[in-house]
Amino acid sequence: MKTIDELLSEGVAGKRVFVRADLNVPLDGTTITDDGRIRAVVPTVKALADAGARVIVASHLGRPKGAPDPAFSLAPAAARLGELLGADVAFAEDTVGSSAEAVVSGLADGRVAVIENLRFNAGETSKDDAERAAFADRLAGLADVYVGDGFGAVHRKHASVFDLPKRLPHYAGYLIATEVGVLKKLTDEVKRPYVVALGGAKVSDKLAVIDQLLGKADRLLIGGGMAYTFLKAKGHEVGISLLQEDQIPAVKEYIERAEKNGVELVLPVDVLVAPEFPDLKTKAPANPTTVAADAIPADQEGLDIGPETCTLYASKLADAGTVFWNGPMGVFEHPDYAEGTKAVAQALVDAPGFTVVGGGDSAAAVRTLGFDENAFGHISTGGGASLEYLEGKTLPGLAALED
């Protein structure tokens, strides 16, 4: 995989460089609530602009249905990118239409433009190879060189991720090079004990990665909504907690395999429960009750790991040589259910080894809860991409950059 450093050594002054970034940031109206993904691509964009390239930044945002939708415009992201760069960033109001063509043709050396949400064009996400190829052809007409730096999208076989790099000289940006280096430390260069903490809502989202980790990790800590399917599989009452009944047979098999393989599978010993889900808008006090994990009342819902579990999980992370964490331990968006996620984050900060926060809600949580990002070994920008890499899957966006 060629990197941006090789591109810069070849010279980019005057060249149109298409940077596939990941500006898929959370928005409250037009206000960005977490700009982590934008900040992550700044080093690549700045290096190219400083070297005299004409930089065209492209990304998706949300899930528009193949047509323009103002709610998913990249305009706020473009404005924030300009603030971070300390320079004006031009914005095209379409992807491959007259606005994009005019904005790109008007770029001077060392300047940056952002084109509108790639998913406003149905060809970006089409499962039809010909439709995707046609869109990729039009995108290729905007540029001379391709730089892939949208790690959060590399597990998607989309036009700008998979098809476009085949049409232009292609290189990996700084972010992707960093992310791949980190993932190798989680797969090929692991320092032990290797501890993985998994949370989030659905156990089905994590089954494939658990399957792989049962042969690689030393300890597996389970929290979040997915923990209740594990507790149910062990015969415990889980009340009205989030539960995937259809996954219980698979979970039972994983519990047995963990014991057989000598992997320490650690489940909550206590949880915070309440009769209903908290109001995340008003953050009104929820007044949860702490109960043993095997004594959840039938009319209560588990919403966070309890204090004993926080202490237990911290102890299981205290000697870790490598840690990968993906998924919050509870409904961290509400202060009454944030302690479990906060405890795991703090345990990563205190751990002696290499610590990786695996993107998505975990990355949002450490920022929301006020942790110093530099206290972690790495905070990934792609939760889904990280998980699929750890599952052993070939990621289309990385494969396209390899050849």
Side-chain angles (χ1 to χ4, degrees):
M1 184 184 295
K2 290 183 179 180
T3 68
I4 185 175
D5 284 332
E6 293 173 80
L7 172 59
L8 292 170
S9 70
E10 295 165 6
V12 292
K15 291 184 178 179
R16 300 171 301 163
V17 181
F18 187 104
V19 177
R20 201 333 179 159
D22 180 8
L23 309 181
N24 185 28
V25 291
L27 294 172
D28 182 3
T30 59
T31 301
I32 296 169
T33 57
D34 181 356
D35 67 355
R37 285 177 168 168
I38 303 176
R39 287 186 285 112
V41 79
V42 166
T44 289
V45 174
K46 187 174 188 311
L48 290 167
D50 286 349
R54 303 176 184 185
V55 187
I56 305 137
V57 180
S59 176
H60 70 287
L61 191 152
R63 297 178 181 272
K65 299 179 179 179
D69 183 337
F72 297 105
S73 175
L74 278 175
R80 180 58 180 149
L81 179 61
E83 291 172 358
L84 292 167
L85 290 170
D88 289 337
V89 169
F91 182 67
E93 296 177 353
D94 56 24
T95 55
V96 291
S98 57
S99 180
E101 291 173 358
V103 166
V104 171
S105 65
L107 273 181
D109 293 359
R111 308 304 292 181
V112 179
V114 173
I115 62 174
E116 187 54 284
N117 193 334
L118 291 163
R119 291 185 183 175
F120 285 2
N121 190 304
E124 169 68 1
T125 60
S126 177
K127 295 192 184 324
D128 182 272
D129 291 348
E131 187 177 11
R132 269 199 337 273
F135 183 48
D137 286 339
R138 295 187 69 185
L139 290 172
L142 297 174
D144 305 305
V145 181
Y146 177 93
V147 171
D149 215 30
F151 181 73
V154 294
H155 59 313
R156 306 295 187 193
K157 192 176 181 180
H158 291 169
S160 66
V161 175
F162 179 73
D163 301 273
L164 181 56
K166 296 181 177 181
R167 288 157 169 77
L168 296 169
H170 45 267
Y171 302 81
Y174 290 127
L175 175 61
I176 279 187
T178 298
E179 295 271 16
V180 171
V182 166
L183 289 169
K184 286 182 178 178
K185 289 185 179 181
L186 297 176
T187 53
D188 304 332
E189 308 159 10
V190 179
K191 292 184 178 179
R192 298 188 179 276
Y194 181 18
V195 186
V196 177
L198 294 176
K202 296 182 179 179
V203 68
S204 56
D205 293 342
K206 306 289 198 307
L207 284 180
V209 76
I210 293 172
D211 184 61
Q212 287 291 316
L213 291 169
L214 286 174
K216 296 177 181 177
D218 298 300
R219 293 179 204 133
L220 199 52
L221 316 181
I222 303 295
M226 63 183 286
Y228 303 102
T229 301
F230 276 83
L231 292 171
K232 186 72 172 181
K234 290 182 73 70
H236 301 319
E237 170 66 57
V238 297
I240 57 173
S241 306
L242 187 62
L243 175 67
Q244 289 186 283
E245 292 264 12
D246 61 324
Q247 301 300 330
I248 289 176
V251 168
K252 285 183 176 179
E253 193 263 327
Y254 287 163
I255 292 171
E256 293 171 2
R257 273 181 54 201
E259 185 174 357
K260 181 180 178 181
N261 292 354
V263 177
E264 190 178 1
L265 180 61
V266 189
L267 299 178
V269 294
D270 62 343
V271 296
L272 299 188
V273 299
E276 59 186 11
F277 198 82
D279 188 324
L280 298 183
K281 286 189 176 181
T282 65
K283 307 290 175 73
N287 301 315
T289 303
T290 302
V291 300
D294 61 357
I296 298 173
D299 62 346
Q300 301 280 304
E301 178 178 10
L303 294 162
D304 193 15
I305 59 174
E308 287 187 27
T309 306
C310 290
T311 301
L312 173 65
Y313 284 12
S315 73
K316 297 298 182 181
L317 290 160
D319 65 344
T322 304
V323 182
F324 175 73
W325 169 36
N326 180 278
M329 296 291 109
V331 187
F332 73 92
E333 299 91 342
H334 192 286
D336 288 352
Y337 302 108
E339 290 304 313
T341 301
K342 190 181 296 184
V344 169
Q346 186 61 53
L348 261 71
V349 171
D350 296 337
F354 182 63
T355 58
V356 179
V357 179
D361 286 341
S362 310
V366 298
R367 297 185 183 108
T368 299
L369 298 174
F371 284 88
D372 179 358
E373 294 181 40
N374 295 320
F376 302 90
H378 179 69
I379 299 179
S380 178
T381 57
S386 296
L387 287 175
E388 291 199 13
Y389 189 100
L390 294 179
E391 289 168 21
K393 289 184 177 180
T394 296
L395 307 188
L398 297 184
L401 293 175
E402 289 283 0
D403 57 18

